[in-house]
Amino acid sequence: MDWNSIFVTTVKASIGLETVVYALAAIGLNVQFGYAGLLNFGQAAFLGVAAYGLAVTVATFQLPFWLGIVIGLAATVVLAFLLGIPTLRLRADYLAIVTIAAAEIVRLIFRAVKFKDVFGGSDGLQSFSGDFYAMNPYAPGSYGIGSITFTERTMWVLTVGWILVALSCALVYLLMKSPWGRVLKAIREDEDAVRSLGKNVFSYKMQALVLGGIIGCLGGFVFALGQASVQPDLYGTEFTFYAYTIVILGGAARVFSPVVGAAIFWVLLVFIGNTLAEAVGSGVIPSSIMTVSQAGSVRFMLVGLGLMLLLIFRPQGIFGDKREIALDAR
Amino acid sequence: MHADTTTAKKEAALAVFAGLETEPGVPKPDPILVIDKVVRRFGGLTAVDVDHVEIQRGSITALIGPNGAGKTTFFNQLTGFDTADAGSWTFNGKPMNGVPAHRVARQGMVRTFQLTKALSKLTVMENMRLGAQNQRGENFFRALIPGSWRGQEDEITERAEELLERFKLAAKRDDFAGSLSGGQRKLLEMARALMVGPELVMLDEPMAGVNPALTQSLLGHVKNLREEGMTVLFVEHDMDMVRDISDWVIVMAQGAVIAEGPPDTIMSDQRVIDAYLGAHHDAPMSVEEAEEQLHEAEAELEAEIEEKA
Ligand SMILES: Nc1ncnc2c1ncn2[C@@H]1O[C@H](COP(=O)(O)OP(=O)(O)O)[C@@H](O)[C@H]1O
Ligand SMILES: [Mg+2]
């Protein structure tokens, strides 16, 4: 078995594109679900709308890159209002139902044959990231330590991505230390109590939904630019569920937990996946037990098992506060 | 000196009510809240149907009535937590029907809940701070600049500390509210309501589920509100307490106000007797509640005996 290759891919995964994208999606979700208690099951749509906003503007309509970014942001805000206005006055579960359905509608529109001229159907869109890579300050070459290296293109995406992650964390940190964050945390617990103290609960929930959507939308940009393409099926419901897994893994309502959660999630996924593939490929695990194609599914089973164990033995997540969970049991 | 002002305020309040008729809807000299024809139906059930009622400013008014009389539902209409099918009411002369709950609170009409709503995962101090109004740091953009709200936060904290001191919760300031006892939560909820700076405080069963030792202190706090110039409207089952602290009593039964009067004589009013005897839930506390209290008392006695042995 090639342990060196397993090691290299695992280390790269810990700071790689998926980790950045999922960290941003999860930071946004943490604002909505972790702090404000909003069940947004459509986070994938927020990333998708941003990614497509950028890609359609540049690839389909040949408009400038920065206009694409503005349109992506605007589309995210519009989506948040569309989902929030009818549901945020209702019980919490309505938002969950509406967002999960809306996310699927958005994905199906992106991949619809009818709109192939605009959204590119199931193949998606390419050739919109030229301007982004034209700004690349890294000279062509390979960057890294030892055998852990990235190309100049990946370096550029990861640099921008991690700066966005850091800025988002700083933003969430400042907000959650403030009276604004206090209102949000109070809403998560009991909306009526907060109303009785003169706070406009609807407005705060809307602000949280928009903020979480915008942070997620940054992930959508990074995802699209990192892959230099957008494809509708990357923004399916399982994307949202991974983001939830990451939030819960790290511990909800902690500033850095989505980032660490995302890194751990991808490291586990890549490590287990590669180890299994290597073991099957080199005959350590005989093909009568598992084939290479089955290894891909088995890794999800093992990651799932690990998460179950985590929630059994550490229900508050990695960074969560045990005392808060104890209060729930009262 | 404190005792003197107490009697002065109480006497002033009582003087207003002296000689007032005991008919439902009797006009008061200086009403803070005037309610007209408020109706709330749940399907076929008319939970509230109040024709006219006025709440006198600067007094403690008790709202009593058998279980299911519609007292909580009535509170919900007035405070914007539920939408009345019909009716209108004014607070300080301003029409309030259709005004959402948070605006009602901002106008100075603040309520507490029958089922206590302490925010368990916030500390006692954070609960208190949440009550303060016009906080700069509650604006999204200013929240990002701590310098813009720190000063105000310090003032709020100071005010909260004074109140916590008064409500004997100062030692708990950094504990999660969820770790408090039932009675302490009631105290916290009341103190938090005061952080809003209300003119009218509406308490839904403030003494329910509170142990007798804390009841006295809660009663004291309610009386204090009047001393500070606030108006209190509260729902209560226990007639001894109603007699002790209220200046005027309004009786509801089956959604309607059936009588009003001074606390000493209201329970001998024939309409009130009929309402309580006619209702199946006539007892001030349910059989289960009474049994539970009995068990608790027994357990305490046993514990004491064991300690001595
Ligand atoms: N949300 C609701 N839906 C249906 N019926 C309700 C609702 N809220 C209260 N009721 C009914 O309205 C009546 C008055 O209830 P409530 O106001 O809680 O009485 P009280 O506080 O005086 O004990 C009761 O018969 C109760 O069952
Ligand atoms: Mg009630």
Side-chain angles (χ1 to χ4, degrees), chain A residues 66-130:
Chain A
W66 288 109
L67 184 64
I69 296 286
V70 171
I71 287 179
L73 280 166
T76 310
V77 175
V78 169
L79 180 66
F81 278 106
L82 278 179
L83 297 180
I85 288 171
T87 57
L88 288 181
R89 284 183 212 276
L90 307 174
R91 241 174 30 215
D93 26 357
Y94 286 91
L95 181 69
I97 297 164
V98 168
T99 46
I100 202 166
E104 275 303 280
I105 292 171
V106 165
R107 186 177 69 86
L108 292 173
I109 289 176
F110 286 157
R111 82 196 305 281
V113 177
K114 190 159 175 60
F115 304 123
K116 202 168 176 10
D117 313 343
V118 183
F119 298 118
S122 55
D123 298 334
L125 296 167
Q126 292 80 30
S127 63
F128 54 85
S129 53

Side-chain angles (χ1 to χ4, degrees), chain B residues 71-72 114 204-205:
Chain B
K71 305 179 295 291
T72 298
Q114 183 169 355
D204 197 351
E205 304 211 12

Side-chain angles (χ1 to χ4, degrees), chain A:
Chain A
M1 279 177 60
D2 184 358
W3 284 107
N4 186 51
S5 131
I6 293 175
F7 175 75
V8 169
T9 45
T10 304
V11 171
K12 284 169 84 166
S14 71
I15 56 166
L17 181 68
E18 275 85 1
T19 299
V20 173
V21 172
Y22 276 90
L24 286 167
I27 294 169
L29 197 60
N30 196 29
V31 170
Q32 296 163 341
F33 166 71
Y35 289 102
L38 300 178
L39 285 170
N40 170 20
F41 278 111
Q43 187 68 335
F46 284 94
L47 279 89
V49 158
Y52 270 85
L54 170 63
V56 167
T57 308
V58 180
T60 309
F61 295 105
Q62 265 87 49
L63 292 165
F65 171 78
W66 288 109
L67 184 64
I69 296 286
V70 171
I71 287 179
L73 280 166
T76 310
V77 175
V78 169
L79 180 66
F81 278 106
L82 278 179
L83 297 180
I85 288 171
T87 57
L88 288 181
R89 284 183 212 276
L90 307 174
R91 241 174 30 215
D93 26 357
Y94 286 91
L95 181 69
I97 297 164
V98 168
T99 46
I100 202 166
E104 275 303 280
I105 292 171
V106 165
R107 186 177 69 86
L108 292 173
I109 289 176
F110 286 157
R111 82 196 305 281
V113 177
K114 190 159 175 60
F115 304 123
K116 202 168 176 10
D117 313 343
V118 183
F119 298 118
S122 55
D123 298 334
L125 296 167
Q126 292 80 30
S127 63
F128 54 85
S129 53
D131 285 357
F132 174 75
Y133 288 107
M135 289 183 274
N136 191 350
Y138 295 100
S142 163
Y143 296 82
I145 310 157
S147 51
I148 301 162
T149 57
F150 295 106
T151 66
E152 79 281 0
R153 279 171 71 92
T154 313
M155 278 302 285
W156 177 222
V157 175
L158 291 185
T159 305
V160 172
W162 281 105
I163 288 173
L164 291 176
V165 169
L167 288 177
S168 303
C169 284
L171 182 71
V172 172
Y173 175 83
L174 277 177
L175 284 171
M176 296 312 160
K177 282 266 174 227
S178 78
W180 187 87
R182 177 164 66 218
V183 178
L184 226 56
K185 288 179 245 177
I187 289 173
R188 176 186 65 190
E189 285 207 50
D190 195 322
E191 287 179 21
D192 281 346
V194 181
R195 269 189 203 107
S196 77
L197 299 171
K199 321 288 173 197
N200 186 347
V201 168
F202 176 77
S203 161
Y204 281 95
K205 291 209 274 190
M206 188 57 93
Q207 292 173 45
L209 191 63
V210 171
L211 175 66
I214 285 181
I215 296 176
C217 123
L218 300 177
F221 292 144
V222 174
F223 207 10
L225 293 170
Q227 301 202 316
S229 79
V230 289
Q231 279 149 357
D233 295 332
L234 292 176
Y235 305 98
T237 32
E238 68 269 22
F239 183 98
T240 303
F241 290 130
Y242 289 169
Y244 265 96
T245 307
I246 286 164
V247 169
I248 293 164
L249 175 71
R254 292 288 175 277
V255 173
F256 289 107
S257 69
V259 183
V260 179
I264 292 176
F265 184 73
W266 279 99
V267 162
L268 274 181
L269 216 55
V270 168
F271 176 75
I272 294 175
N274 284 353
T275 310
L276 280 177
E278 280 284 334
V280 174
S282 63
V284 176
I285 297 177
S287 56
S288 56
I289 295 179
M290 199 190 298
T291 65
V292 174
S293 58
Q294 287 169 332
S297 312
V298 171
R299 74 176 173 156
F300 279 108
M301 295 181 196
L302 290 176
V303 171
L305 180 69
L307 289 170
M308 280 163 68
L309 291 174
L310 176 92
L311 287 185
I312 290 166
F313 293 107
R314 208 176 157 80
Q316 71 272 34
I318 295 167
F319 294 110
D321 188 332
K322 199 169 188 170
R323 293 179 304 165
E324 290 190 1
I325 299 286
L327 286 175
D328 282 337
R330 282 167 74 100

Side-chain angles (χ1 to χ4, degrees), chain B residues 59-302:
Chain B
S59 70
I60 301 181
T61 304
L63 180 63
I64 67 168
N67 260 330
K71 305 179 295 291
T72 298
T73 310
F74 189 42
F75 261 39
N76 288 346
Q77 313 309 313
L78 298 180
T79 50
F81 279 85
D82 191 16
T83 319
D85 295 316
S88 62
W89 55 100
T90 60
F91 175 66
N92 277 330
K94 271 180 259 158
M96 296 295 275
N97 35 320
V99 175
H102 67 273
R103 293 242 180 82
V104 173
R106 283 181 201 170
Q107 301 260 348
M109 190 166 152
V110 177
R111 67 159 316 168
T112 64
F113 295 87
Q114 183 169 355
L115 297 171
T116 325
K117 291 187 184 294
L119 300 159
S120 339
K121 289 180 192 170
L122 264 52
T123 64
V124 168
M125 181 47 95
E126 289 287 76
N127 263 276
M128 293 295 286
R129 286 179 181 137
L130 189 68
Q133 296 302 292
N134 298 319
Q135 294 191 43
R136 286 192 280 274
E138 286 182 355
N139 172 285
F140 179 88
F141 295 103
R142 273 184 282 193
L144 294 170
I145 311 161
S148 71
W149 50 264
R150 273 280 149 70
Q152 191 189 24
E153 182 91 341
D154 291 344
E155 285 165 27
I156 291 169
T157 306
E158 210 170 294
R159 205 149 62 80
E161 265 162 357
E162 279 166 26
L163 274 170
L164 286 179
E165 203 67 54
R166 220 171 86 192
F167 280 77
K168 305 223 163 40
L169 289 169
K172 301 271 182 194
R173 65 166 272 172
D174 296 319
D175 292 1
F176 281 127
S179 70
L180 300 181
S181 74
Q184 288 172 324
R185 286 185 208 199
K186 289 261 179 205
L187 283 171
L188 174 60
E189 202 185 3
M190 200 190 288
R192 191 178 66 191
L194 296 186
M195 285 296 291
V196 182
E199 262 185 87
L200 171 63
V201 185
M202 299 173 61
L203 308 167
D204 197 351
E205 304 211 12
M207 328 299 180
V210 176
N211 77 40
L214 269 181
T215 313
Q216 276 312 315
S217 118
L218 259 167
L219 284 178
H221 292 307
V222 175
K223 287 182 194 164
N224 250 328
L225 302 182
R226 180 185 52 205
E227 297 318 311
E228 291 175 9
M230 285 173 247
T231 309
V232 180
L233 175 64
F234 77 109
V235 173
E236 185 48 58
H237 274 305
D238 188 323
M239 265 322 287
D240 286 336
M241 284 176 210
V242 170
R243 220 170 279 128
D244 182 6
I245 62 170
S246 62
D247 307 320
W248 189 253
V249 180
I250 297 172
V251 189
M252 268 182 94
Q254 293 176 347
V257 171
I258 54 157
E260 298 189 33
D264 301 325
T265 53
I266 190 75
M267 286 314 278
S268 49
D269 188 304
Q270 193 53 45
R271 291 165 301 191
V272 179
I273 295 170
D274 289 348
Y276 271 86
L277 291 182
H280 290 293
H281 313 282
D282 53 345
M285 57 170 93
S286 70
V287 179
E288 291 93 330
E289 280 171 330
E291 242 167 39
E292 201 177 86
Q293 283 209 352
L294 197 70
H295 283 309
E296 269 172 24
E298 274 171 7
E300 263 173 36
L301 264 175
E302 273 167 21

